[in-house]
Amino acid sequence: MNIENILATNKNAFYVLDTGVLKARINYLKSRLPKCVTICYAAKANPFVVKEIDDVIEKFELCSPGEVDICKTLNIATKKMVISGVYKTPSFIESLVKDESFWGVYTIESLSQYRLLVELSNKYERDVRVLVRLTNSSQFGVNEQDVEDILKDIANHERVKCIGIQFFSGTQKSSVKKLRRELEHLDAFLLHLRDDLGFEAEYFEYGGGFPVAYFENEEFDEEAYLAEFSDAVNAMTFKAKITLELGRSVVASCGKYYTHVVDMKCNKGINYMLVDGGMHHIVYFGQQMAMKHPLMSVVGKEGEEAGDVWTICGALCSMNDILAKQVTLPKNIEIGDVLCFENAGAYCLMEGISLFLSRDLPAVYMLRENGETLLVREAFETAALNTPQYNK
């Protein structure tokens, strides 16, 4: 099945994820980063691609029991799993610690998480490996003094081993100067831990939050950006392994979202186009689709003569369900045409308000390098999830 067949057989919105584009993107990033840097994929950006990139990604950051279950179902090696997340339920962590087949790494987000892992490692007589997460002045991680206190105390617990420090910078970080200052500070802190506390980190995990250009006329010189970032990494005193945790930057470009034009009208001088999708299916960074023009096209009418200006709205009964305002579309556009939104591979499948109005979740297709197309999720009716159960 190819894209034309998918279009012919789907009368409702759907996603297509192109693994050829995805792997080319990963190879591009690797080619532009220092040799000491490996990539950890943040599965929250899009768990559908995890199995497809298992052979080219060293680690997977997992922030919930559900993401762990997905990776286990897909036979991802537990040694590749970094169990992250600001809140880890005690029962979930206990289930992993007592599981003798689990060999992942845990992030320490608080002193209570640290104490829990110490307790569980002793209870089940299992060795656990941890990364202590340094806060970025948010709810994530712990202060520098807490990091030091944990590293001092961990020497008393032979079953718990800290293998490094984790730091999440943020998302859509377009200023390399800010990243450079951050890395300089983190490098100094790692040096302090080595020289003053005797802690030699095996590796440093850094969430750089590389930006993605989603909208028309966005200027982003990625070549220069990655070159400057690589210079900042190479300038660090810390010369052990560095793992770069990325999600959006890895997967955004591999996804496309297709939605059908279902109605057209003019209200008080404004042309409105209604589609069968909406903001519950397609979410770009900062909900900016209504304020900026996303990269999009009309399938089969690319390059045709420009026509009227339209405001594109979704099928939800909400005035907020606007995908783009004042977009010029082809002159002969009509009901039944299909709009294609680019760069829909990251978060769009997960971040939308999927259960609002109990509308169906779209089907998800995987387009592989050999031309094979797989249906990896059928369209899913959500009404049952919103229906109260009185007979239980």
Side-chain angles (χ1 to χ4, degrees), residues 143-306:
N143 295 317
E144 290 185 5
Q145 185 58 56
D146 293 325
V147 174
E148 295 185 29
D149 290 343
I150 288 171
L151 292 177
K152 290 175 183 177
D153 184 75
I154 214 167
N156 302 317
H157 306 285
E158 62 179 15
R159 291 195 175 280
V160 181
K161 181 182 180 182
C162 180
I163 59 174
I165 301 298
Q166 185 193 54
F167 183 86
F168 176 65
S169 176
T171 189
Q172 292 285 79
K173 300 294 284 288
S174 59
S175 172
V176 180
K177 290 182 179 179
K178 290 182 180 179
L179 295 182
R180 183 184 293 274
R181 288 197 297 268
E182 227 168 45
L183 288 173
E184 288 173 351
H185 176 78
L186 292 164
D187 190 36
F189 184 60
L190 287 163
L191 188 63
H192 159 65
L193 296 179
R194 185 194 71 185
D195 293 346
D196 299 333
L197 272 71
F199 172 71
E200 188 84 46
E202 293 180 20
Y203 79 94
F204 166 50
E205 183 175 310
Y206 181 67
F210 290 176
V212 169
Y214 283 121
F215 308 106
E216 292 179 0
N217 302 318
E218 281 190 330
E219 295 183 4
F220 174 50
D221 186 346
E222 188 169 43
E223 284 282 329
Y225 181 94
L226 293 174
E228 290 182 50
F229 177 80
S230 297
D231 287 344
V233 170
N234 289 327
M236 294 177 67
T237 303
F238 181 79
K239 295 301 181 184
K241 188 175 178 181
I242 296 176
T243 300
L244 186 61
E245 183 247 301
L246 296 172
R248 186 188 309 275
S249 179
V250 168
V251 78
S253 60
C254 83
K256 294 182 179 181
Y257 171 67
Y258 295 85
T259 183
H260 302 74
V261 178
V262 295
D263 209 348
M264 304 165 74
K265 54 186 168 182
C266 182
N267 287 347
K268 295 190 175 181
I270 298 177
N271 292 322
Y272 289 100
M273 176 175 294
L274 281 297
V275 297
D276 61 354
M279 66 178 183
H280 55 320
H281 294 170
I282 178 85
V283 179
Y284 289 142
F285 177 73
Q287 294 280 11
Q288 294 179 332
M289 288 179 66
M291 295 179 280
K292 297 182 180 180
H293 290 175
L295 301 173
M296 57 165 292
S297 62
V298 181
V299 177
K301 296 183 178 179
E302 301 87 349
E304 292 195 5
E305 183 181 355

Side-chain angles (χ1 to χ4, degrees), residues 326-367:
Q326 302 298 292
V327 178
T328 301
L329 295 176
K331 186 175 182 179
N332 61 343
I333 193 167
E334 57 189 352
I335 293 174
D337 281 339
V338 178
L339 306 184
C340 174
F341 289 84
E342 305 284 340
N343 287 349
Y347 296 104
C348 294
L349 284 73
M350 277 63 63
E351 273 194 349
I353 48 176
S354 303
L355 300 184
F356 187 47
L357 290 179
S358 301
R359 290 194 175 272
D360 293 355
L361 291 177
V364 180
Y365 291 88
M366 193 79 70
L367 178 62

